[in-house]
Amino acid sequence: MKRTMYPQQRIHQDCLAEVYKEMVEAVGIESMLKLYPLLRGQQINFPVRLYAKDKVSMKISQEYNGKNVHVLSREYGYSSRWVQKMIKEHQELEEAREFRRGSLMDDGRK
C-alpha cells in the first residue's frame, strides 16, 4: 500500500481544498488521505443512480414473481414503468431463445 504524502498530524484541515473538506466530513481524515493519492487531479463524475441498469434489469427479471413490480421499483429506485419494460424485454429475449432452441432441434431432426 502506498504511503500518503502527508502524515495525518500535519494536515491543516482549515486549508484543505473544498472537495477534500467535503470528503473529510463524509468519510473522515484517514479515508480522505487514502483516497487523495488515487484521485488527485482527476475529474470524477458519479452516476445519479447507485445501481447499474443492466445489472438491475437482470436482478429484476430473476426476482419478478408476476405481482411485485411496485416492490421491485421501490427496492431498486426505478419507476414501475421502467421495471415493467425491463421485465417485458427479458421475457421477449427468453421467448426468442426458446424459439431458436426449438428451431435448432427441428433442424436436427430433419
Side-chain angles (χ1 to χ4, degrees):
M1 181 181 228
K2 290 184 180 179
R3 281 189 58 181
T4 56
M5 290 179 67
Y6 303 98
Q8 184 177 343
Q9 63 272 18
R10 294 175 133 183
I11 296 296
H12 300 278
Q13 291 188 39
D14 57 326
C15 295
L16 290 173
E18 194 60 34
V19 67
Y20 296 116
K21 284 182 187 178
E22 290 175 16
M23 286 176 69
V24 168
E25 289 175 19
V27 299
I29 189 78
E30 288 181 27
S31 295
M32 185 279 293
L33 289 173
K34 288 178 183 177
L35 292 171
Y36 173 71
L38 300 171
L39 303 177
R40 68 186 180 147
Q42 294 188 35
Q43 199 72 11
I44 299 174
N45 227 347
F46 290 98
V48 173
R49 299 208 183 267
L50 183 60
Y51 299 122
K53 282 185 178 184
D54 58 334
K55 292 183 173 133
V56 169
S57 176
M58 188 62 107
K59 290 283 278 184
I60 284 171
S61 66
Q62 293 168 351
E63 296 176 15
Y64 180 61
N65 66 12
K67 300 177 184 177
N68 60 344
V69 169
H70 296 294
V71 171
L72 293 170
S73 69
R74 281 193 306 271
E75 184 167 339
Y76 292 105
Y78 287 88
S79 70
S80 294
R81 180 181 235 163
W82 185 83
V83 169
Q84 289 170 329
K85 180 181 174 195
M86 292 303 105
I87 291 165
K88 182 179 179 192
E89 285 178 10
H90 180 76
Q91 289 171 340
E92 288 170 354
L93 277 171
E94 284 302 310
E95 288 171 6
R97 284 185 188 130
E98 289 299 317
F99 179 77
R100 283 194 301 269
R101 280 189 206 129
S103 294
L104 290 173
M105 295 280 254
D106 290 343
D107 289 344
R109 293 181 185 153
K110 289 182 181 178

